[in-house]
Amino acid sequence: MMISTRGRYALRVLLELAENQKEGYIAMKQVAMRQELSLKYIEQIMPVLSKNHYVEGVQGKGGGYRLVKAPEEYRVGDILRLTEGNLAPVACLECDAKMCRRANTCKTLPMWKEFHQMVLDYFDNITLLDLLNQEEFRRF
């Protein structure tokens, strides 16, 4: 399993918005510059975050994006599932995967299921606030 730039950029953008939430709406041009990210790529991610009520945006002068909720309400697992899709380590555990004809006898399937659950549990127990307070967050 590898997290793509889409998932990593979404996290960085949301962290930037969380860190600067007192400023109100933040222009993505500023975020791109501060985070050294491609503005064009950020602009492809923001509609997904907006449509799913992670951020709200305003166009025009003084426009930009801001978080809809408090940083502690954003779980990393939810953000990654939104941007990456399923976090399954093997194809047979992906959403809508056809049941493998060997599933009943597969010796490795229980291991993959447990690993998948560990990944989900790990990411679901980290919030944007945890990442903002990394000095207190010792799991890294």
Side-chain angles (χ1 to χ4, degrees):
M1 170 184 60
M2 184 178 291
I3 306 298
S4 72
T5 54
R6 184 176 179 90
R8 295 190 328 264
Y9 280 22
L11 283 170
R12 288 171 62 186
V13 168
L14 291 171
L15 281 167
E16 182 77 24
L17 295 178
E19 204 165 35
N20 298 290
Q21 63 186 339
K22 291 181 180 168
E23 293 178 31
Y25 292 95
I26 310 292
M28 287 302 103
K29 184 177 181 180
Q30 287 180 318
V31 173
M33 187 175 62
R34 287 193 289 232
Q35 289 293 319
E36 299 178 355
L37 301 174
S38 161
L39 179 58
K40 285 189 181 283
Y41 200 53
I42 291 174
E43 289 171 343
Q44 293 174 18
I45 297 169
M46 296 314 292
V48 173
L49 296 175
S50 182
K51 177 183 167 194
N52 289 280
H53 310 291
Y54 283 68
V55 297
E56 63 182 3
V58 172
Q59 293 184 1
K61 186 177 180 177
Y65 288 90
R66 69 177 183 183
L67 296 181
V68 173
K69 302 177 277 188
E72 60 270 20
E73 296 180 61
Y74 291 84
R75 297 185 318 172
V76 170
D78 294 332
I79 297 162
L80 291 177
R81 279 187 292 275
L82 178 66
T83 56
E84 297 291 319
N86 192 317
L87 298 175
V90 291
C92 61
L93 294 179
E94 289 180 354
C95 293
D96 302 325
K98 286 185 178 181
M99 178 78 141
C100 173
R101 61 183 174 84
R102 298 192 64 238
N104 292 333
T105 60
C106 181
K107 301 286 187 201
T108 62
L109 185 57
M111 173 190 66
W112 293 124
K113 283 182 176 180
E114 186 174 343
F115 176 71
H116 186 216
Q117 192 58 54
M118 288 169 46
V119 169
L120 295 176
D121 291 344
Y122 179 76
F123 285 133
D124 283 343
N125 283 297
I126 303 170
T127 67
L128 290 181
L129 185 61
D130 293 328
L131 295 175
L132 288 174
N133 298 325
Q134 280 192 40
E135 62 276 356
E136 299 168 18
F137 187 58
R138 299 289 179 213
R139 287 184 268 187
F140 293 133

